[in-house]
């Protein structure tokens, strides 16, 4: 049995598994947060069992609710989640601990990754650090968030930018914003674009996701770019596709920017999360989620008020987009 410890903004995570493959994948996903020693405070415990999940859920239970991913059964503080016979999780909300049971390594890895981000993300929300679905870089002493819907080209643009080792890095997908609108690093694995070859590193690894298929990834420790820890002065760049022959940027108002932050930051559309580990059907959790929604709103307001904001219309020329983004005088 191997033990992996993460330390994410003082939130300790312990993962126990007999699978070397699962352990290696988590080391790659969270390479920046790997702790060589046991953190002083463990926020989340996860045990992974490589076995068939049959009979792991008690008989004679009635389903509490069903999601696209699984059927959920609540018994007191414990939630049993049945991923349609392929995987079972047993989550104890009182102890903030989970057991994942499956023979499918790819599925274990996907659920484990999202479970960690769901629980740690909620804990960070309560402390006033909120994820936003965007990439974050620092260019010429200015923090820039590239915000856009899935498939708009964020990964392609980021991979092109990171070929310049002078560009510093906050996050590939979910930098953190505090209640004063400041940006904080949250560097997870980097999703590699098929259109841009960032590196020929042996560190590249491939995962297979149930819904979205295969994806190539790179651990943070394999890039040359410096990790920026936090920053106050920022620019918001909202990415859009176009049929323009060249990229184009237009400044927008702070109010327009705030409206555009509703989905990727306040609601959290696009941030890695699994509903069944974030949502609890109790009045106390309803109060918690209301508090989180208000805190995210205050942070979004602070971010939009202190930032210059732009719409960036991408062309089909990948290198031209990156050069224009890198050299533009925000």
């Amino acid at each position: 049995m191997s033990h992996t410890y993460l330390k994410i903004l003082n939130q300790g995570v312990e993962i126990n598994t007999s699978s070397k493959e699962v352990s290696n994948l988590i080391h790659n996903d969270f390479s920046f947060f790997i702790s060589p020693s046991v953190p002083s405070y463990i926020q989340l415990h996860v045990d992974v069992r490589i076995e068939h999940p049959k009979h792991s859920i008690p008989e004679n239970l009635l389903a509490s609710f069903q999601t696209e991913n699984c059927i959920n059964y609540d018994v007191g503080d414990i939630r049993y989640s049945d991923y349609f016979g392929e995987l079972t999780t047993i989550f104890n909300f009182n102890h903030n601990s989970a057991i994942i049971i499956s023979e499918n390594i790819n599925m274990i890895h996907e659920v484990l990754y999202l479970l960690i981000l769901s629980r740690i993300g909620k804990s960070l929300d309560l402390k006033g650090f909120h994820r936003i679905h965007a990439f974050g870089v620092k260019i010429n002493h200015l923090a820039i968030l590239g915000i856009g819907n899935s498939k708009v080209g964020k990964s392609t643009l980021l991979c092109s930018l990171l070929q310049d080792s002078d560009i510093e890095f906050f996050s590939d997908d979910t930098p953190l914003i505090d209640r004063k609108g400041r940006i904080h690093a949250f560097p997870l694995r980097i999703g590699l674009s098929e259109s841009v070859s960032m590196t020929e590193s042996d560190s590249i690894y491939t995962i297979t996701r149930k819904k979205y298929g295969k994806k190539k990834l790179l651990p943070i420790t394999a890039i040359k770019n410096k990790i920026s820890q936090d920053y106050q002065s920022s620019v918001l760049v909202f990415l859009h596709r176009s049929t323009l022959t060249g990229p184009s940027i237009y400044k927008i108002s702070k109010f327009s920017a705030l409206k555009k932050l509703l989905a990727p930051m306040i609601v959290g559309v696009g941030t890695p999360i699994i509903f069944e580990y974030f949502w609890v059907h109790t009045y106390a959790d309803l109060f918690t989620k209301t508090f989180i929604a208000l805190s995210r709103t205050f942070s979004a307001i602070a971010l939009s008020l202190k930032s210059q904001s732009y719409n960036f219309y991408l062309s089909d020329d990948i290198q031209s987009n990156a050069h224009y983004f890198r050299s533009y005088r925000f």
Side-chain angles (χ1 to χ4, degrees), residues 6-7 10 12 35 37-43:
L6 310 177
K7 189 175 181 181
N10 295 320
S35 176
S37 59
V38 181
S40 57
Y41 172 64
I42 300 293
Q43 171 71 17

Side-chain angles (χ1 to χ4, degrees), residues 66-71 82-84 107 273-276:
Q66 182 172 336
T67 67
E68 180 183 8
N69 301 313
C70 62
I71 304 168
D82 174 16
Y83 288 74
F84 304 107
M107 198 167 182
I273 192 174
I274 297 186
F275 179 84
E276 47 268 27

Side-chain angles (χ1 to χ4, degrees), residues 143-169:
I144 305 174
L145 297 182
I147 307 164
N149 297 327
S150 296
K151 306 298 183 183
V152 75
K154 291 194 303 296
S155 294
T156 300
L157 179 57
L158 176 64
C159 287
S160 295
L161 292 171
L162 292 182
Q163 292 183 84
D164 182 347
S165 59
D166 290 333
I167 291 178
E168 298 183 21
F169 179 70

Side-chain angles (χ1 to χ4, degrees), residues 53-74:
K54 188 177 181 180
H55 304 310
S56 56
I57 298 177
E59 294 181 345
N60 300 317
L61 297 182
L62 301 178
S64 303
F65 65 98
Q66 182 172 336
T67 67
E68 180 183 8
N69 301 313
C70 62
I71 304 168
N72 300 278
Y73 304 87
D74 291 339

Side-chain angles (χ1 to χ4, degrees), residues 168-317:
E168 298 183 21
F169 179 70
F170 288 98
S171 178
D172 168 33
D173 207 32
T174 50
L176 299 174
I177 312 298
D178 68 21
R179 293 186 186 128
K180 294 184 179 180
R182 296 174 298 197
I183 301 171
H184 299 264
F186 196 59
L188 301 170
R189 65 198 191 184
I190 296 177
L192 298 182
S193 167
E194 297 293 336
S195 307
V196 181
S197 177
M198 264 185 63
T199 178
E200 298 300 325
S201 171
D202 293 336
S203 300
I204 293 174
Y205 63 109
T206 302
I207 62 169
T208 302
R209 300 163 297 174
K210 190 170 183 65
K211 184 176 181 179
Y212 298 105
K214 291 186 176 181
K215 187 173 183 63
K216 289 184 177 180
L217 301 165
L218 189 69
I220 291 299
T221 50
I223 66 171
K224 298 179 181 178
N225 306 75
K226 179 182 176 183
I227 305 298
S228 282
Q229 294 301 319
D230 57 76
Y231 215 67
Q232 297 195 38
S233 301
S234 56
V235 170
L236 308 182
V237 180
F238 296 93
L239 306 176
H240 304 273
R241 299 294 289 270
S242 79
T243 58
L244 297 172
T245 56
S248 183
I249 290 181
Y250 299 93
K251 193 171 184 180
I252 62 173
S253 69
K254 296 183 185 299
F255 181 69
S256 294
L258 178 59
K259 289 194 295 182
K260 288 175 176 286
L261 291 175
L262 175 63
M265 182 172 171
I266 298 174
V267 177
V269 174
T271 56
I273 192 174
I274 297 186
F275 179 84
E276 47 268 27
Y277 306 122
F278 191 90
W279 198 277
V280 186
H281 298 287
T282 64
Y283 288 114
D285 197 61
L286 177 61
F287 175 81
T288 296
K289 290 191 287 286
T290 301
F291 174 82
I292 288 173
L294 290 172
S295 184
R296 289 181 182 179
T297 301
F298 291 143
S299 295
I301 292 171
L303 178 64
S304 60
L305 287 177
K306 73 187 308 178
S307 304
Q308 297 297 318
S309 300
Y310 299 82
N311 280 335
F312 183 18
Y313 294 93
L314 300 160
S315 71
D316 290 333
D317 188 332

